[in-house]
Each structure stands twice: as C-alpha cells, then as structure tokens.
Amino acid sequence: MRKGKRRGPIGSVHPVKLRCRRIRTVLQEDIIISIDHSDDPSMNMFPEDFAWGASTAAYQIEGGWDADGKGESIWDAFCHRDDSSVFERHTGDVSCNSYQLWEEDLRCIEELGLTHYRLSLSWSRLLPDGTTGHVNQQGVRYYNQLLDGLLARGVTPMVTLYHFDLPQALQDRGGWQSPDTPALFDAYARFCFGAFGDRVRLWITLNEPYVCAKLGHEDGLHAPGVRGAGGVAAYRAGHHMLRAHALAWHSYDAGYRREQGGLVSMAINSDWAEPEDADSAEDAAAAARYLAFSLGWFAWPLFVSGDYPEVMRAAVDARLPRFSGDQPAALGTADFFALNYYTARKVRSVGVDGGAPSMKTDLGAEGVVDPAWPLCGLPWLAVAPQGLRQLLKYIKATFNHPAVYITENGFAQTGPVLMEDGERAAFYRETVGEVAKAIEEDGVDVCGYFAWSLLDNFEWADGYSARFGLFHVDFSDDERARTMYRSGREYAAIISKHRSRSRAHRELTSS
Ligand code: PNW
C-alpha cells in the first residue's frame, strides 16, 4: 500500500499505470516555434495520454426508473413523494432516456472527440434490493452494451459505482446511517468488479460523499431527505461512506487488481476557499477550516492520517465517529485523487451562536461570493476558474503530490435555452487554461479533465431548471433530441487542438 511516497506498487506492478506522472520533455526552441500557440494563453502542452472526458450519472440521465426489473432507489422515492421539494416536482423517471437512447449518447461522445467518458452504474438496476441475492440480468446487459460501445469507439470508461442513488430497500434498513451498509456496498462493488472489471480500468467508488452526507442527511435537500439532524446524521453517513470505500478498495486490491490492473478512488468535491480579508488571521483560519470540512473531511482519512482533520475533531468532538478498530483502514485507499470542482468562496470567521449543534455551527465560517466572480444560473455556482488552479496547488502540497483527475467541472444555464452559449464556451477555455498552468507552472500531476456534463439532465433539487450539458436535450420531445451547444463545439475544438498538438510533439521529438 502507498505510504507517503508516490511511487508505490501501483505504478510499477500493474499494467495500467498513471503514465501522466513523468518528467515532461523540455521543448527545444525550434520545436516551440514550429507549433502554433498564438491563440493559446497558456502555450501549454498537455500530456499525450491526458484524459479528455465528460461525466454523467445514472439517475440524472437514464430514466427507465422501473424498467426491466430495476429496483427503486432513494431518488425515485424522494421525487415521488407527495411533498417533493424538487423543483416543480420534477423526477428522473424518463430524463434523457439514456436507458433506451444510449447509442445516441455514444454518438455525442464521438462528436466531441472525448478520450474518456465517466458514467455511473445504478445499484438498484443491477441489484434491485441492494443485495447480491438477486441480480437483474437486464441491468447487466444494459451496462455491457454501453461499455462495449465505448470501447469499440476507442473511448475509455471511468465508472462510478455510487452516484447518490442508494437502493430504497437499503434505505429501509437504515441506509448510510446503518453500520451494515458498508459491507453491502462492498458486496455490490465486488459484483461490479467481477461483471465489468475486464473492461474498466478507472473506478470511482462513491461520488461526493460530502454532498450525500450534508445535503441528504442534514439539509434535507437531497435524498433521503433527512433534515436538521443536529450535526449527527451527516457525520455518521460520511463515516459509513468512508468505510464502504475502504472495504471496496481493499476488495479490489486483494481480488481483482492483479488480473484487471485498474485504479480505484473516491470523487471528492470541494470549493476553493480563501480568506475574505487577506490580512485577517481569523479569516485565514476560517478558510483553512472551510477546506478541512469539505475536501479534508474525506481526503484526510484516505491520504493523510486515516482520521479526520484535527480541526474537525476539535470542533465536532463526540459527534464525529471514530475510526478506532475499523478494519481495514481508510489510509492509503486511493490510487489517485479524484476532484470535483465547481466554485470558490471568500471565507470569513463567524462566532458560534450557541444554538443547536449543526454542521454550520461546527464550521464557524461563512463563505461568500466575490462580486467580481460572475454568477451563472445557480446561486451557489460563482464562476471562478482560477480557484481550480489554487485548489490543485493545495492538493499537491497537502496530499503528497498525488496524480489528479478532475472528475467534474462545469457551468449551468438557467432560464430560456441559449444554444449559442458563448459565456460557457469562454468558461471552458479559461478553465482548461488554468489546468494547463497548474500542470506546466505549478507541476501538479493532472491526468485528466471531465466536463460536467455530457448532456442536460436532471439536476437533483433543481430538476430540469439548470442545464449543465455540452449537448442540449429537448425534454419536451419524446425523442429527447440531443443538440450540441456552442460550448460543446468549443470543448471539441480544445480537445482536438491539444490532441493533435501532443501528437505533433511526439512525432517531432521521436524523429
Ligand atoms: C455534483 N450544491 O453535485 C454532482 O456530482 C453532480 O451529480 C451534479 O449534477 C453536479 O455537481 C452539478 O451540481 C452537486 O448544491 C449538487 O452545492 C449540488 C451541489 C453541489 C454539487
């Protein structure tokens, strides 16, 4: 297992290596001149094997919520509640209908020229009651077709096992608050490694445990809708997700890695945080706490100490579960850093008001949006591409220079559909420029970038009111027609330019 040093057994023994971690050739003057960088602010050279991807999640695109023997998930149940809090009571019942239209999705992926596609598996489509007692073969068939279709087109899949959609049958047994759920997840993970692992080399166990824990088990905005749980349920859910991840990573390591040669991680989301007042020690400490309570909550156990950050321990005290006695340990159970980045905050310190305990009072900090950062449609989503570079630098310094995949990043539009979405096109250009600077100037080992999202889709509590797609989806049309936005054309052009540039570089340097 990896301890401290980056070059562990993973890079040396297994067939799939993180090849992006290498000393980049210094370009000779004449070669630089021979490649046209004139339109590119960063003049960068992305590694040739850089992953250019887009991401989706099962519940957000598939539809077919009860098709062919699929079991109910907590998002099915949450959206079907009479008092549903989802925007205009939207549901993912049909969504993009990717359950039937997956070949259309493949066409979109090809049109963009993606090298990678990140999708998630629906646990309750594969195992309707959440356990391996009953396997839904139609679900297995669905994902087999999809994976085979990707590989036939030369696209590498990255597969997330869990993207917010717990089988309802397991929620009925306590869900993520139950200490039994990690072992059930592990059994599901082993099932997936066995069924699909011959074709999948990049695995994400869980997506954004922070969002699932906080929005699902404290704010009540996401399924299962637990609200105001006094700063207990969210930490407990988070702890069990870490347990689930650690078990699955060890299962892969012990039982599948030798044969399949893949890599396993967890997708951790975080804003970038910086002090509101650069001269204030309180604000600096508050910004550090802000990062510790989001990124650190899940990254510290995996990358640093096997335990939560000390500031969390100090603030949350007895409500924060302990890892003591948990076997196997969480430390070392990430083969790369999977980062979901959307936005940034200026952070100020706020006093604890003495009210009931909550995640908010534990944090003792408040994040505000810098007025200089434009807002896109959603109130939480200030556009701050420079924050990504800062966060990447922070990750390199804090987590011992890991290989990083940016597994989600994007920008939403709300209101009337804008096919010529120039702002979003500029956002992608600028963001890729920031990633380039992180690689070239800061030496961060970034292996890939995945845009969220391939398609407009069901945006959780916001329903279909927020559109994150590189492709527009017409939800009023039975065919769910997919049409590329201008931002999709921009991303396709970025990919094509960098791919041909790194090919040219290889040819020049090898001749
Ligand atoms: C992530 N928030 O979720 C998810 O991984 C995606 O499924 C989602 O579509 C994407 O970001 C865009 O939102 C989030 O309210 C959902 O702060 C909500 C929030 C953040 C992330």
Side-chain angles (χ1 to χ4, degrees):
M1 202 198 316
R2 255 161 21 119
K3 273 214 199 77
K5 269 277 127 255
R6 297 188 296 122
R7 232 167 292 281
I10 291 146
S12 46
V13 172
H14 303 290
V16 168
K17 299 177 196 168
L18 290 172
R19 280 176 301 137
C20 54
R21 180 185 300 145
R22 60 174 178 223
I23 299 161
R24 299 187 210 292
T25 323
V26 177
L27 289 176
Q28 292 160 2
E29 199 73 6
D30 57 332
I31 298 175
I32 294 177
I33 291 163
S34 69
I35 300 169
D36 176 21
H37 293 293
S38 53
D39 63 335
D40 189 331
S42 60
M43 254 192 34
N44 77 90
M45 179 72 66
F46 280 86
E48 195 180 352
D49 55 1
F50 193 80
W52 293 103
S55 301
T56 59
Y59 186 74
Q60 293 181 273
I61 66 164
E62 284 179 4
W65 77 277
D66 63 349
D68 299 338
K70 177 181 168 292
E72 192 187 29
S73 81
I74 55 173
W75 269 94
D76 294 317
F78 191 66
C79 292
H80 292 159
R81 277 164 58 158
D82 291 336
D83 60 348
S84 165
S85 57
V86 174
F87 178 82
E88 292 186 355
R89 305 199 55 209
H90 290 174
T91 78
D93 288 359
V94 182
S95 189
C96 310
N97 197 14
S98 291
Y99 185 61
Q100 289 178 313
L101 301 177
W102 54 275
E103 284 170 297
E104 284 299 296
D105 297 351
L106 292 177
R107 182 184 60 76
C108 297
I109 290 164
E110 264 195 309
E111 255 183 69
L112 288 168
L114 302 182
T115 64
H116 287 61
Y117 177 57
R118 175 172 174 240
L119 64 132
S120 86
L121 307 178
S122 159
W123 186 344
S124 65
R125 191 179 296 291
L126 291 163
L127 309 178
D129 70 3
T131 77
T132 48
H134 167 57
V135 176
N136 176 24
Q137 292 303 338
Q138 306 255 58
V140 178
R141 219 182 101 239
Y142 173 65
Y143 292 115
N144 276 336
Q145 285 176 332
L146 188 52
L147 291 173
D148 291 344
L150 288 168
L151 294 173
R153 288 161 178 79
V155 178
T156 304
M158 177 185 271
V159 175
T160 306
L161 295 172
Y162 180 78
H163 199 123
F164 302 166
D165 50 351
L166 193 76
Q168 180 60 35
L170 299 189
Q171 187 61 41
D172 297 341
R173 294 159 65 171
W176 286 118
Q177 293 203 67
S178 161
D180 300 332
T181 301
L184 292 162
F185 176 81
D186 182 38
Y188 161 60
R190 278 184 275 124
F191 168 78
C192 295
F193 298 148
F196 309 115
D198 56 339
R199 286 153 292 162
V200 178
R201 296 291 175 271
L202 292 168
W203 291 100
I204 300 291
T205 53
L206 297 113
N207 179 70
E208 298 190 354
Y210 173 94
V211 168
C212 177
K214 181 166 187 298
L215 276 70
H217 296 81
E218 171 126 345
D219 301 343
L221 297 170
H222 277 201
V226 176
R227 208 174 270 271
V232 172
Y235 296 125
R236 195 187 285 146
H239 195 73
H240 291 148
M241 286 188 265
L242 278 162
R243 299 287 318 125
H245 165 83
L247 284 169
W249 186 92
H250 278 282
S251 290
Y252 189 80
D253 201 48
Y256 300 89
R257 196 195 296 279
R258 182 176 296 275
E259 199 177 318
Q260 301 181 351
L263 302 167
V264 182
S265 192
M266 170 195 257
I268 302 178
N269 67 291
S270 185
D271 301 345
W272 168 243
E274 54 197 37
E276 183 178 40
D277 174 355
D279 298 326
S280 154
E282 283 80 26
D283 285 4
R289 275 201 307 281
Y290 192 96
L291 285 173
F293 272 78
S294 50
L295 195 74
W297 182 2
F298 297 96
W300 236 258
L302 304 188
F303 289 93
V304 178
S305 65
D307 195 1
Y308 299 111
E310 274 167 31
V311 284
M312 275 187 88
R313 278 256 165 256
V316 185
D317 194 24
R319 283 175 289 112
L320 195 60
R322 302 214 157 261
F323 286 93
S324 47
D326 282 353
Q327 285 300 328
L331 185 62
T333 63
D335 299 327
F336 55 92
F337 203 108
L339 172 71
N340 289 1
Y341 172 79
Y342 283 92
T343 189
R345 291 291 182 270
K346 297 275 185 190
V347 180
R348 60 169 80 118
S349 177
V350 292
V352 177
D353 59 10
S358 70
M359 290 188 66
K360 196 165 172 229
T361 53
D362 291 339
L363 174 59
E366 188 179 34
V368 294
V369 167
D370 186 319
W373 302 335
L375 284 176
C376 76
L378 298 168
W380 60 270
L381 191 41
V383 181
Q386 72 288 352
L388 176 56
R389 178 178 176 193
Q390 299 307 321
L391 194 54
L392 289 168
K393 271 207 295 201
Y394 174 88
I395 287 170
K396 178 187 172 192
T398 313
F399 305 114
N400 198 21
H401 197 355
V404 183
Y405 282 87
I406 299 155
T407 38
E408 282 181 31
N409 173 253
F411 177 110
Q413 57 168 275
T414 53
V417 174
L418 194 64
M419 293 307 299
E420 290 299 313
D421 55 343
E423 255 191 297
R424 183 156 52 185
F427 161 84
Y428 277 117
R429 234 182 359 251
E430 218 180 300
T431 302
V432 170
E434 293 295 321
V435 176
K437 283 187 247 168
I439 295 173
E440 296 288 308
E441 293 173 34
D442 310 329
V444 184
D445 192 18
V446 187
C447 303
Y449 174 84
F450 290 70
W452 182 272
S453 175
L454 179 68
L455 307 171
D456 285 345
N457 59 48
F458 175 81
E459 177 48 33
W460 308 116
D462 294 300
Y464 298 97
S465 68
R467 296 175 173 273
F468 273 93
L470 295 162
F471 280 80
H472 172 262
V473 176
D474 185 351
F475 294 105
S476 65
D477 154 32
D478 282 350
E479 304 296 315
R480 296 296 194 269
R482 285 110 160 103
T483 312
M484 203 189 268
Y485 285 107
R486 169 160 168 211
S487 57
R489 297 201 298 277
E490 179 71 30
Y491 189 45
I494 291 171
I495 295 173
S496 142
K497 183 176 72 179
H498 286 297
R499 288 183 77 184
S500 56
R501 195 177 277 182
S502 56
R503 260 197 308 275
H505 173 237
R506 176 168 45 90
E507 279 155 22
L508 281 164
T509 49
S510 64
S511 62

